[in-house]
Amino acid sequence: QVQLVESGGGSVQAGGSLRLSCAASGYTRSRYCLAWSRQAPGKEREGVATIDHDGKISYSDSVKGRFTISQDNAKNTLYLTMNNLKPEDTAMYYCAADSADFCGEHATNARFMGYWGQGTQVTVSS
């Protein structure tokens, strides 16, 4: 059973930083994709960043250069380090897991992944 539990959200001012964590377990370790997606009120869910079993990483254009996805396999934890946050980054952030087929350029397909956490809220004020 796949379990994903996010933490680390909060409220920050524009230009600030946050690090999100996702305790991940139960997913297939041989060929996987782990991802962060976000959804703002009234908007569709958007893939933000992905990392696969080979460590290949992709970012959406909106966060590239500001956000960093990483994983600690020993701790079964996925991270999203967010720097230079902007008000438009305000959203509920979700951790996701599925097969490696969902990892790809610009994290476009991350929003279609099958397993999701409950989300953690990030609010950036101007």
Side-chain angles (χ1 to χ4, degrees), residues 12-14 86-87 124-126:
V12 296
Q13 291 191 326
K86 304 176 180 181
V124 185
S125 58
S126 58

Side-chain angles (χ1 to χ4, degrees), residues 2-3 7 15 29 31-32 35 39 47 50 53-54 56 62 71 80 107 126:
V2 178
Q3 291 189 323
S7 61
R29 299 302 180 106
R31 191 175 176 271
Y32 65 82
Q39 188 167 19
T50 62
H53 54 283
D54 284 334
K56 184 177 179 181
S62 60
Q71 60 180 345
L80 185 69
S126 58

Side-chain angles (χ1 to χ4, degrees), residues 67-100:
F67 290 12
T68 302
I69 189 172
S70 61
Q71 60 180 345
D72 184 331
N73 288 328
K75 295 182 179 180
N76 294 323
T77 303
L78 180 72
Y79 300 102
L80 185 69
T81 302
M82 306 183 293
N83 296 320
N84 191 21
L85 282 160
K86 304 176 180 181
E88 51 264 42
D89 294 318
T90 295
M92 185 72 79
Y93 282 72
Y94 298 91
C95 173
D98 212 313
S99 75

